[in-house]
Amino acid sequence: MAVLIRVLFPLLASVLLALAPPARAALEENEVKAAVVYHLSLFADWPPGSLREGSFNLCVLTENEGMADALSRLGGKTVKGVHLVVWRKRPMLDLGICQMVYLGEMSEGARGRVIAQLAGQPVLTIANGGIPIPGAMVSLGVSGERVYFDIDLPVVQRGGLRLDAKLLRLARSVVK
Amino acid sequence: MTRMRAPDHRRGWDRLNWLSTALALGIATLLLISSESATLHEDFQHRLATQASLVAANSAAAVVFQDKISARDNLAALSLAPEILSARIVLPDGTLFAGYEKAGASEKSPFWAGWIGLDRIEYQRGLDVENTEVANIHLIADLTPLRARILGFVAVVLGAGLLALLAAHILMARLRRAMRRAEDDMVHMAHYDALTGLPNRAFFETHTDQVLARTTQAALLFFDLDNFKVVNDSLGHPVGDQLLKAVAAQLGLVVRQTDNLSRLGGDEFTLLVVGAGHHQASSVAEHVIQALHHPFTIDGHELSIGASIGIALFPEDGDNVDKLLRSADSALYAAKAAGKHTWRFFSAEMDQQARDRLALEAGLRRALDRGELRMLYQPIVDLGTGRHIGFEALMRWTSPELGEVSPSVFIPVAEETGLIHAFGAFALREACAQARRWLEEGRGEVVVSVNVSARQFHGHGLVDSVRQTLRETGLPPSHLDLEITETALMGAEREVIDILNELHGLGVSLSLDDFGVGYASLSQLKRLPIHKLKIDRSFVMDIPRDSDDAAIITAIVGMAEALGLSVVAEGVETLEQQAFLASLGCRRGQGYLFGKPEPAA
């Protein structure tokens, strides 16, 4: 048994160490993305009457559990002076309470339906795709260690939202 | 003539004045500068805070989305604010997120900027997003523009301050000059006689003291104008004043610049001749007498005055101003006694005379109170019948210290000292009371004659005194005769005539005493309420041998008759004189032949 421990432990340790960096990188990427989602909410303005009193609702639609966890940890922060509440949603469910919707890993069909459903609504739609997702107001992508975002201004304007000019300057691309 | 010099303490005052003004201006300037500096500094800090806020607002998005390039671009916009030397955005963990350094920021400020805290300024603030500090903004600004503004302000304020100081200096100098002039005028007024411009007694005394301290010999000439009182009394003070001015001007021409001519008051002048001995002093005195010998023409009046001078030598006759002046005064008295228009040196006998006179004056002042005066009565008779028709009341003084003093000695002194008024009133009271007693004794024909001094005509006290005495004694006015001298008629004529008329109105008769020796104008006689002329004894003395005197008496008697006046001859001593006077028509006489002055029987 002692021998087994003496042989196996270094082995196990080395395997764990070999596995760790990619796992940690994925973990950090989720955290950074979650922070970006949160910060995007800070540089957006909703039309009057579209914000509820008491809470600001972020609805999360993703099959990536790690990302969902990272986003859920945003709960309790404040947006526009009210508490941020994070909701885990399934596609096709009612998204009427959401002010902001995160569209993560999911089938393109489901994503397209959700986007269609929210079209013209004062709901900030943030899609995670690496490329600009048609119909999403903001699309996130990762390049190296940096998270970037693209903005589709016509979609934003159709939803009645306004984005801070400083945000537009930071975007990788803006569709006008 | 020496003018008083401005005292040195005034210069100290001027300097103090100037210093206090400069100090006040300096303090005001410092206060202004420091207040303005504080305001400018505050403004600058405020602007820096605004810059920091702008940086914070512009950089918030870049920081939260970790866009360092964007943040750096934002900061680069600070190059438009030249005073910002560096700007840094630091993350909460202390790492530098983005920074900006002004090109050439290593330029050093002047060495003194650091001393006064105007080198550079730092400002720091947090960058908050949703109440969370996500970074810290740190600005460093150069205070060169602030320094330039403060320096500019200092220059303006200092310039204005210097201008104000200059203006104050000019104004103060002008004020000082005016004050100095006023002060000099006051000093001048205190030391100089306003009428003649000559030094006055105060200046004479101090100046003479100073001069005597420095010299070994000097002569003091003390003089007055012989006829000044007559001019002043008869022509009035304005003419007298003009005469004094003319005299001062004339004397100014005669005396040397180094001689100190002063006016002590009235018509008294002094001339201090430094270094002069007996010989030089007499020659100066002669000069002065010559200078004042010519008549002065004032207001159309030709006035002959002339001076008498007393001279005292320093140090023999006095080693200080007071003694010297007293000696010169004694000499002056002697000069006047010797007949006017002359000069006399002081001598020890004069000192004795002066002391005698002082003793006489002192005794005379006490004579009335101590009952040393008494009245004697000399009969006036009808030359035809030898009957007593009146008495002349004559005053006598027996002093316990001086013995019997002649009226010719004490009456002038009484006149000079003003005692004559009291003496005159005494004589009047005594004589009237005596005449009243004679009346009561049944001698109803007797008239008492009382002498009135010229001095008693000054003011209106005489008429009241006569009226009151007649009332008190109950003597009928017709039994009182007042004898006045011709000199009383000179001078203020109008006033004297008024007084004579009032006395006449009381019912008192008036006699002109010592007639013939004075200057009584005959034309005046008829205008005056005079009843009697008394022919001076000098005309009576030598008759009947002197035919001139006989002719004069004849003329007087004739004139008196024509004017309706009675005549009394004085000094009748022999029967021959009595008979001769009677033959000339003179009906009354007085003299030892009829009786000496004696106490009332």
Side-chain angles (χ1 to χ4, degrees):
Chain A
M1 189 61 189
V3 174
L4 187 70
I5 290 172
R6 249 183 287 133
V7 174
L8 277 180
F9 187 75
L11 189 69
L12 194 65
S14 63
V15 168
L16 280 173
L17 279 172
L19 285 172
R24 278 225 315 262
L27 207 68
E28 276 181 12
E29 189 188 304
N30 288 337
E31 293 292 336
V32 171
K33 271 188 188 162
V36 167
V37 168
Y38 170 64
H39 286 135
L40 283 170
S41 73
L42 303 181
F43 289 93
D45 277 318
W46 277 259
S50 58
L51 288 181
R52 290 159 187 251
E53 282 185 22
S55 64
F56 181 88
N57 299 313
L58 166 62
C59 301
V60 177
L61 287 84
T62 186
E63 290 165 10
N64 181 341
E65 293 304 321
M67 184 62 194
D69 284 351
L71 285 171
S72 69
R73 279 195 288 276
L74 295 175
K77 284 179 181 282
T78 57
V79 177
K80 312 287 176 194
V82 297
H83 286 288
L84 174 67
V85 181
V86 184
W87 303 87
R88 187 74 186 274
K89 292 285 186 178
R90 302 274 162 221
M92 302 318 293
L93 286 181
D94 181 19
L95 298 175
I97 62 156
C98 308
Q99 279 83 45
M100 185 156 75
V101 172
Y102 176 76
L103 299 159
E105 282 80 355
M106 59 195 298
S107 70
E108 280 198 24
R111 189 164 62 197
R113 278 196 297 281
V114 173
I115 283 172
Q117 185 190 345
L118 293 175
Q121 299 291 316
V123 176
L124 179 62
T125 49
I126 300 169
N128 182 27
I131 53 158
I133 307 297
M137 294 177 182
V138 181
S139 305
L140 301 181
V142 177
S143 167
E145 285 189 357
R146 262 184 67 81
V147 173
Y148 59 82
F149 51 89
D150 302 289
I151 294 173
D152 193 332
L153 216 47
V155 178
V156 174
Q157 282 160 357
R158 274 201 295 279
L161 267 59
R162 282 184 53 239
L163 293 183
D164 196 311
K166 291 190 283 284
L167 197 62
L168 300 182
R169 277 209 302 279
L170 295 175
R172 188 182 66 168
S173 74
V174 178
V175 178
K176 290 184 178 163
Chain B
M1 247 146 276
T2 331
R3 284 204 61 143
M4 296 293 276
R5 280 211 35 218
D8 277 347
H9 67 82
R10 288 205 295 216
R11 225 161 296 151
W13 269 114
D14 293 350
R15 202 168 302 147
L16 202 64
N17 239 329
W18 197 87
L19 264 179
S20 59
T21 309
L23 193 67
L25 266 170
I27 289 172
T29 307
L30 269 180
L31 281 175
L32 264 175
I33 289 173
S34 59
S35 139
E36 180 67 10
S37 300
T39 308
L40 284 174
H41 201 269
E42 216 167 277
D43 278 1
F44 201 84
Q45 203 144 20
H46 190 71
R47 283 224 307 281
L48 202 58
T50 309
Q51 294 273 15
S53 301
L54 280 172
V55 168
N58 284 331
S59 308
V63 171
V64 296
F65 293 110
Q66 306 206 342
D67 191 333
K68 290 185 176 182
I69 294 164
S70 178
R72 214 170 293 137
D73 288 350
N74 275 339
L75 290 179
L78 288 173
S79 65
L80 294 174
E83 71 272 18
I84 305 281
L85 290 177
S86 88
R88 298 192 303 156
I89 300 173
V90 181
L91 296 179
D93 60 8
T95 56
L96 180 69
F97 180 70
Y100 160 79
E101 293 285 330
K102 186 187 173 185
S106 58
E107 276 173 33
K108 277 278 171 207
S109 307
F111 65 94
W112 49 268
W115 301 347
I116 53 171
L118 290 178
D119 181 12
R120 47 183 57 197
I121 187 172
E122 298 191 10
Y123 185 81
Q124 203 165 312
R125 62 160 288 165
L127 199 177
D128 288 3
V129 173
E130 263 327 284
N131 298 326
T132 308
E133 187 172 301
V134 295
N136 204 293
I137 291 166
H138 188 232
L139 294 183
I140 296 176
D142 180 23
L143 289 180
T144 299
L146 182 67
R147 280 202 306 274
R149 285 187 60 183
I150 289 175
L151 278 178
F153 182 77
V154 166
V156 168
V157 168
L158 279 182
L162 282 176
L163 274 178
L165 202 59
L166 189 71
H169 184 71
I170 290 170
L171 276 175
M172 263 160 47
R174 201 167 293 169
L175 194 68
R176 266 203 309 274
R177 273 200 297 279
M179 277 174 60
R180 198 160 294 170
R181 219 170 293 134
E183 220 174 290
D184 286 346
D185 283 353
M186 274 168 60
V187 169
H188 192 264
M189 275 195 282
H191 292 91
Y192 290 83
D193 166 36
L195 181 65
T196 60
L198 294 175
N200 60 13
R201 177 184 282 271
F203 186 54
F204 161 76
E205 283 174 357
T206 52
H207 179 74
T208 304
D209 256 343
Q210 288 165 12
V211 168
L212 294 184
R214 288 196 306 261
T215 191
T216 51
Q217 73 171 6
L220 178 67
L221 279 67
F222 185 26
F223 52 102
D224 66 10
L225 308 180
D226 289 333
N227 290 325
F228 181 73
K229 283 188 179 68
V230 175
V231 170
N232 224 15
D233 289 348
S234 57
L235 299 176
H237 290 290
V239 173
D241 285 352
Q242 283 190 57
L243 177 61
L244 285 174
K245 270 166 104 170
V247 165
Q250 181 68 30
L251 287 172
L253 297 176
V254 182
V255 305
R256 296 178 307 175
Q257 277 293 306
T258 48
D259 298 341
N260 187 240
L261 178 66
S262 312
R263 179 178 169 228
L264 299 197
D267 60 338
E268 292 178 338
F269 295 84
T270 54
L271 181 63
L272 182 69
V273 187
V274 179
H278 198 281
H279 179 70
Q280 199 189 338
S282 56
S283 109
V284 172
E286 194 56 45
H287 270 105
V288 170
I289 284 175
Q290 288 304 319
L292 301 182
H293 186 66
H294 306 289
F296 290 86
T297 305
I298 308 285
D299 263 7
H301 302 279
E302 188 148 300
L303 304 171
S304 284
I305 43 158
S308 302
I309 304 181
I311 307 170
L313 297 175
F314 171 82
E316 305 92 286
D317 301 339
D319 53 4
N320 61 45
V321 192
D322 285 345
K323 274 191 201 159
L324 213 50
L325 200 56
R326 258 206 314 277
S327 298
D329 192 18
S330 296
L332 172 61
Y333 191 77
K336 280 188 174 301
K340 302 173 174 184
H341 307 291
T342 187
W343 44 271
R344 282 289 180 275
F345 279 93
F346 173 77
S347 68
E349 299 85 70
M350 287 175 189
D351 219 12
Q352 186 55 49
Q353 284 166 12
R355 272 201 290 278
D356 289 350
R357 195 191 132 94
L358 280 177
L360 185 69
E361 249 186 69
L364 205 52
R365 282 181 198 285
R366 296 188 296 261
L368 197 56
D369 289 340
R370 301 204 297 201
E372 294 165 14
L373 298 177
R374 65 189 195 289
M375 299 308 293
L376 300 185
Y377 299 91
Q378 186 175 32
I380 300 171
V381 301
D382 184 314
L383 292 177
T385 63
R387 249 181 349 114
H388 289 191
I389 53 170
F391 290 90
E392 179 178 0
L394 296 161
M395 186 178 280
R396 291 292 181 268
W397 175 34
T398 312
S399 160
E401 294 92 4
L402 306 169
E404 193 73 22
V405 182
S406 162
S408 62
V409 173
F410 76 81
I411 292 295
V413 176
E415 285 180 331
E416 282 172 42
T417 53
L419 287 167
I420 195 68
H421 294 282
F423 283 23
F426 170 79
L428 199 60
R429 207 162 49 242
E430 288 287 301
C432 289
Q434 184 56 50
R436 172 75 198 178
R437 279 195 287 279
W438 283 327
L439 275 184
E440 283 163 2
E441 289 166 13
R443 301 166 70 174
E445 76 290 354
V446 169
V447 170
V448 73
S449 296
V450 180
N451 289 284
V452 175
S453 160
R455 283 296 175 97
Q456 288 175 270
F457 282 88
H458 294 185
H460 288 276
L462 181 60
V463 178
D464 291 339
S465 174
V466 170
R467 187 186 292 121
Q468 196 185 339
T469 307
L470 287 174
R471 193 177 336 119
E472 281 172 9
T473 57
L475 182 71
S478 58
H479 289 269
L480 177 63
D481 175 61
L482 296 179
E483 294 192 5
I484 58 177
T485 56
E486 286 173 332
T487 44
L489 299 178
M490 289 166 64
E493 289 178 11
R494 191 65 248 166
E495 272 175 43
V496 172
I497 292 171
D498 286 348
I499 292 172
L500 291 178
N501 281 323
E502 280 184 69
L503 291 172
H504 177 62
L506 291 177
V508 170
S509 70
L510 299 167
S511 303
L512 202 51
D513 207 1
D514 304 335
F515 187 78
V517 294
Y519 311 94
S521 98
L522 296 177
S523 70
Q524 214 178 34
L525 273 181
K526 66 175 181 190
R527 293 193 287 117
L528 295 174
I530 297 287
H531 307 91
K532 221 191 297 176
L533 299 179
K534 296 189 81 173
I535 301 173
D536 191 72
R537 65 180 66 245
S538 60
F539 299 112
V540 175
M541 220 157 50
D542 295 329
I543 52 167
R545 287 184 306 280
D546 191 317
S547 56
D548 288 347
D549 286 347
I552 290 171
I553 294 173
T554 310
I556 293 174
V557 171
M559 182 190 69
E561 231 165 60
L563 291 172
L565 304 174
S566 58
V567 177
V568 178
E570 292 182 280
V572 182
E573 291 180 355
T574 63
L575 285 168
E576 196 185 10
Q577 287 170 345
Q578 182 189 3
F580 187 74
L581 285 166
S583 73
L584 290 177
C586 179
R587 295 208 190 91
R588 296 155 190 226
Q590 180 183 351
Y592 280 15
L593 178 62
F594 313 114
K596 295 180 178 182
E598 281 173 4

